[in-house]
Amino acid sequence: MSGDEQCEFARSGGARRAAERRTERPEERRRAVLRAADGVRIEAVYEPCAGTRVPGKRDGTDDAGPDAIVLAHGFSGSVDRPALRRAARVFAQYGAVITFSFRGHGRSGGHSTVGDREVLDLAAAVRWARSLGHVRVTTVGFSMGGSVVVRHGALYRPYGAFADARADGEGAPAAHEGRTGARSGTDFSAHADAVVAVSAPARWYYRGTAPMRRLHWVVQRPVGRLVSRYGLRTRIHPHDWDPVPLSPVAAAPALAPTPLLVVHGDQDPYFPLDHPRSLAAAADPAYTELWTVPGFGHAENAAAPALLHRIGDWIGARSRTAPAARHDGSRTTDG
């Protein structure tokens, strides 16, 4: 089967699924305005599959995957920023791609909560992907977006599989998410089938590097938020978190059996290597991989095409080895 034929098969969902779902996937790029669960408007863009690296079918009946990849940008990014568009072009070779602007960014409404309520924005994008007929959805987040995809993966579980997951020894993650309003186990269309966190923080309030100290000044000071609004084009919510949301490292144990890939550069100026190592150590080792990438800096702005292709290959491998929402897991590596 040629690349274009494989992509067409991925878009159609296969004869059996097409007959069941009766949903035709878009053939052209389209923009949309989504609504997060709390009513905030979220701008989003859908890119159809380019068809050059779509993985083959696992058997004669199921569809090819990864089907759809949802990209979550870092703080001060947006759907139209060149780095995110470059990443979208690469990932479109592996499946359809949805990009969006978090609240307070780009043309989306609301104000940034710097990783808290942003899980609702990501859930809206994943839900849109499934509404377009995509059976399998992978979330890929960069920096702040990396923290969001980890927390989203813990809060939105397939088939209500949240069950007895314990995130921090005190209780299930949902108990810590009152401000976010995410409801695990009730919205099965918003879950991810695989999660990739690139340059993500493991914990909140980290000030150990100069860039993070500057970021805290921007977020927590009125003049900093003014600079962010007009200099970074990012509108920040003026109030502190209340309650403090579950941290990524506390959410990570609840992801299994969803595969998790943690990617981090040894030249990251924001978060040193103890962050990705903490995330990987907290997650289930049977379903987690950690890549420490030599020479890589921070997030989408520093991600070279070769690294993005490597991530795309990982996503494709997960699609070939595990049916949607019923994962067999992934091998733990460090490299």
Side-chain angles (χ1 to χ4, degrees), residues 43-326:
E43 68 166 341
V45 174
Y46 176 90
E47 301 277 357
C49 176
T52 60
R53 295 182 183 232
V54 176
K57 293 166 58 179
R58 294 182 304 275
D59 54 42
T61 58
D62 209 349
D63 60 304
D67 207 330
I69 302 170
V70 178
L71 303 185
H73 62 75
F75 179 77
S76 79
S78 74
V79 73
D80 292 319
R81 290 293 175 92
L84 194 67
R85 298 267 44 90
R86 181 178 67 249
R89 287 193 295 271
V90 171
F91 286 121
Q93 298 179 42
Y94 299 86
V97 175
I98 288 177
T99 51
F100 65 97
S101 296
F102 279 122
R103 62 187 58 206
H105 294 73
R107 296 183 180 87
S108 291
H111 292 76
S112 174
T113 60
V114 200
D116 179 10
R117 294 188 180 181
E118 281 76 6
V119 294
L120 304 179
D121 310 344
L122 179 60
V126 173
R127 197 179 298 113
W128 187 39
R130 296 197 191 281
S131 76
L132 296 174
H134 295 290
V135 177
R136 189 173 295 100
V137 181
T138 296
T139 56
V140 180
F142 300 92
S143 191
M144 181 187 77
S147 71
V148 173
V149 298
V150 172
R151 294 181 53 243
H152 169 270
L155 291 167
Y156 292 84
R157 308 301 298 141
Y159 307 133
F162 199 71
D164 298 324
R166 297 279 173 174
D168 58 3
E170 298 180 4
H176 298 259
E177 294 295 330
R179 174 185 166 113
T180 299
R183 294 291 180 265
S184 62
T186 61
D187 186 357
F188 308 148
S189 67
H191 75 274
D193 294 293
V195 175
V196 181
V198 183
S199 305
R203 54 193 181 275
W204 305 136
Y205 303 113
Y206 176 73
R207 294 178 172 86
T209 59
M212 286 306 298
R213 290 191 288 273
R214 288 194 294 269
L215 178 60
H216 278 84
W217 178 84
V218 166
V219 171
Q220 296 179 334
R221 300 294 183 88
V223 67
R225 292 191 291 271
L226 192 65
V227 169
S228 176
R229 183 182 188 98
Y230 293 103
L232 302 178
R233 300 181 182 178
T234 301
R235 306 175 306 279
I236 302 173
H237 199 286
H239 301 302
D240 292 338
W241 288 336
D242 184 18
V244 175
L246 194 73
S247 69
V249 73
L255 264 69
T258 302
L260 169 65
L261 173 62
V262 179
V263 180
H264 213 90
D266 66 357
Q267 299 300 309
D268 192 310
Y270 287 82
F271 306 112
L273 290 176
D274 65 299
H275 283 261
R277 289 168 180 163
S278 297
L279 275 178
D284 189 327
Y287 301 96
T288 305
E289 291 187 36
L290 168 62
W291 296 354
T292 302
V293 183
F296 174 41
H298 185 72
E300 63 265 46
N301 289 327
L307 176 58
L308 298 174
H309 279 297
R310 187 183 174 198
I311 294 171
D313 289 335
W314 182 91
I315 295 170
R318 301 290 80 70
S319 297
R320 288 192 296 270
T321 57
R326 297 187 183 278

